[in-house]
């Protein structure tokens, strides 16, 4: 399948991971980076990659989960998302492990089980599923996983050896630094200007000032989501002082563009409101930021 624009090295790392698992090894990887930088796109690349990859038993099996902030107080909710598609193997587990998983997933009643048994049950469940075909466990927004699930996913990841399992997670830098700590990780940065520019222009229908393009790329720090969907409310850095889309001028004499999902034209650089933080974005005209008046 096609590589993601500007992500040759990251896609190559995921390709090697897939090849290693097909050769009989387990692989674990945590993608770490800022919000909107493209972690989810890389997980999508991996999902598409394994979907088109043959394997013993007729191809890969994929189990996925997404951390949800509103479920962080619900113990085992993330683990349940991941394991639910694999519960057809539940009866193959040793009885203590089977009962532990069944209890925390609400399939049977009983006292709260020892968390160690729950972890062993999840590990055995994943290993049993991978006996028939390679298994990809894909977890997005791991920073929002409940504490029990995050702990047990780390437990499972550190004990995978040769089960033909790929466990790949994405976690936001900063708030997610402590999630799945100590596991192999790959830092995901913003795209280079040379890659962000064609990606942005690919999703803009109509002419756009080169200077406006430069400011969008600078303001988003070349983060993938912001450049890929410019019609949505931009995710400006917190200290940039950039205005919301609703405050952009309604018309521009030099740049009129119908952006996907946005009815407003993109204004010319000269008509943009001045950022509060003069160091956040370079002046479009090339003049130093110090020319802006304080606000």
């Amino acid at each position: 399948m096609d590589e993601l624009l500007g992500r040759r090295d990251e896609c190559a790392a995921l390709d090697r991971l897939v090849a290693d698992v097909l050769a009989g090894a387990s692989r674990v990887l945590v993608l770490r980076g800022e919000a909107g930088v493209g972690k989810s796109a890389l997980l999508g690349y991996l999902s598409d990659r394994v979907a088109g990859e043959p394997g013993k038993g007729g191809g890969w099996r994929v189990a996925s989960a997404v951390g949800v902030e509103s479920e962080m107080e619900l113990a085992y909710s993330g683990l349940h998302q991941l394991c639910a598609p694999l519960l057809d193997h539940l009866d193959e587990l040793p009885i203590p492990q089977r009962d532990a998983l069944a209890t925390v997933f609400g399939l049977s009643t009983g006292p709260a089980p020892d968390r160690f048994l729950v972890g062993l049950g999840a590990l055995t469940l994943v290993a049993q599923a991978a006996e028939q075909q390679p298994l990809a466990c894909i977890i997005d927004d791991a920073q929002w996983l409940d504490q029990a699930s995050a702990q047990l996913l780390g437990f499972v990841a550190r004990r995978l050896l040769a089960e033909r399992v790929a466990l790949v997670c994405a976690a936001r830098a900063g708030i997610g630094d402590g999630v799945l700590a100590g596991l192999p990780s790959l830092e995901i940065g913003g795209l280079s200007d040379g890659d962000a520019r064609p990606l942005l222009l690919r999703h803009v229908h109509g002419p756009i000032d080169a200077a406006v393009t430069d400011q969008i790329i600078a303001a988003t720090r070349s983060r993938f989501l912001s450049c890929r969907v410019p019609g949505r409310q931009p995710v400006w850095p917190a200290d940039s002082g950039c205005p919301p889309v609703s405050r952009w001028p309604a018309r521009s004499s030099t740049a009129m563009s119908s952006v996907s999902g946005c009815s407003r034209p993109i204004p010319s650089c000269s008509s943009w409101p001045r950022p509060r933080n003069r160091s956040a974005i370079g002046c479009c005209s090339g003049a130093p930021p110090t020319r802006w008046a304080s606000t």
Side-chain angles (χ1 to χ4, degrees), residues 35-268:
V37 79
K39 304 181 297 297
S40 296
L42 287 165
L43 293 182
Y45 172 86
L46 174 63
S47 182
D48 292 343
R49 177 79 166 76
V50 298
E53 193 68 44
K56 179 182 176 182
W60 286 68
R61 188 170 188 175
V62 178
S64 60
V66 178
V68 181
E69 188 174 6
S70 62
E71 295 187 3
M72 290 184 71
E73 301 302 318
L74 301 178
Y76 305 108
S77 57
L79 187 67
H80 179 263
Q81 276 194 71
L82 187 69
C83 293
L86 311 178
L87 290 179
D88 52 323
H89 296 281
L90 186 62
D91 290 338
E92 301 170 19
L93 274 58
I95 292 176
Q97 297 177 24
R98 182 194 66 195
D99 291 345
L101 275 187
T103 300
V104 298
F105 291 162
L107 300 176
S108 66
T109 59
D114 184 285
R115 192 170 291 186
F116 181 74
L117 279 177
V118 179
L120 285 178
L123 175 62
T124 306
L125 187 70
V126 166
Q128 288 297 116
E131 282 290 320
Q132 298 179 358
Q133 56 195 130
L135 174 64
C137 297
I138 300 175
I139 300 98
D140 201 358
D141 284 333
Q143 73 276 357
W144 302 132
L145 289 173
D146 60 279
Q147 184 178 6
S149 295
Q151 181 185 42
L152 292 175
L153 283 173
F155 176 95
V156 170
R158 285 185 283 271
R159 286 159 179 79
L160 290 171
L161 296 173
E163 287 83 8
R164 294 196 306 157
V165 174
L167 196 160
V168 182
C169 309
R172 187 179 302 180
I175 60 176
D177 289 346
V179 178
L180 306 174
L183 298 178
S185 64
L186 179 64
E187 296 296 325
I188 309 299
L191 296 173
S192 67
D193 287 359
D195 291 321
R197 188 178 308 277
L199 180 62
L200 173 61
L201 295 178
R202 183 184 301 174
H203 292 272
V204 173
H205 308 291
I208 178 174
D209 278 358
V212 173
T213 302
D214 291 341
Q215 267 208 333
I216 292 174
I217 292 172
T220 60
R221 298 174 184 157
S222 300
R223 287 184 292 188
F224 184 89
L225 181 61
S226 301
C227 292
R228 185 180 183 188
V229 194
R232 67 185 291 168
Q233 186 78 3
V235 184
W236 308 117
D239 60 349
S240 69
C242 289
V245 172
S246 60
R247 289 178 52 199
W248 287 6
R251 295 186 58 84
S252 164
S253 60
T254 57
M256 295 292 291
S257 175
S258 174
V259 181
S260 175
C262 181
S263 60
R264 298 183 182 86
I266 294 181
S268 67

